[in-house]
Amino acid sequence: MTRFILIATAAATLSACSAYAGGHAAGTVKTSADGYFTDGHDMTLYTFDKDEAGVSNCNAGCAKAWPPLMAKDGKELPAGFTAIERKNGDKQVAYNGQPLYLWVNDKKPGDTTGDNVQGVWHIAKPSGY
């Protein structure tokens, strides 16, 4: 019985981590009880001041630390959200043209440790960024 529980726990952990495989997250967008955007796993979403409307300027090493929220093919996004094309041709979710990202140092839902990192990363909120 203990072996079964250990295997089931490992499988659940692997499943939860698979959304972040390859350094990129894919999922839905929600608004938290505190009024900021989260992904489908309730992880905080962020914006980057160095992005331009509809253009992500966070690539390569930056995208490893700040995984883009990738758009799922065929998945309809809520009003105000669009899929923009990244440099490599992948689709990223944006809010009012502002690309959305996760932060690798946020370890659990509700963490907001990426807010104001280097003065250019901010929690994504419906009221602005």
Side-chain angles (χ1 to χ4, degrees):
M1 182 65 131
T2 302
R3 185 174 163 181
F4 172 76
I5 292 170
L6 184 59
I7 291 169
T9 302
T13 301
L14 180 60
S15 175
C17 293
S18 68
Y20 303 101
H24 302 286
T28 58
V29 180
K30 305 186 301 185
T31 303
S32 74
D34 293 325
Y36 57 85
F37 293 132
T38 65
D39 73 353
H41 301 282
D42 298 321
M43 298 302 289
T44 304
L45 294 172
Y46 298 90
T47 59
F48 183 41
D49 286 348
K50 295 181 181 182
D51 283 343
E52 301 164 38
V55 177
S56 170
N57 289 313
C58 179
N59 297 289
C62 176
K64 288 180 181 176
W66 298 92
L69 181 67
M70 304 308 293
K72 291 183 179 181
D73 286 337
K75 175 130 175 109
E76 189 173 324
L77 295 168
F81 293 89
T82 57
I84 64 164
E85 189 167 329
R86 293 180 54 76
K87 243 185 197 180
N88 64 3
D90 290 344
K91 300 291 185 187
Q92 179 176 357
V93 177
Y95 175 68
N96 289 338
Q98 190 72 22
L100 298 175
Y101 305 86
L102 294 135
W103 170 230
V104 296
N105 289 334
D106 281 352
K107 301 300 182 194
K108 64 185 183 317
D111 282 354
T112 57
T113 64
D115 193 28
N116 209 30
V117 168
Q118 298 178 343
V120 295
W121 291 95
H122 308 285
I123 295 172
K125 299 176 183 175
S127 59
Y129 35 85

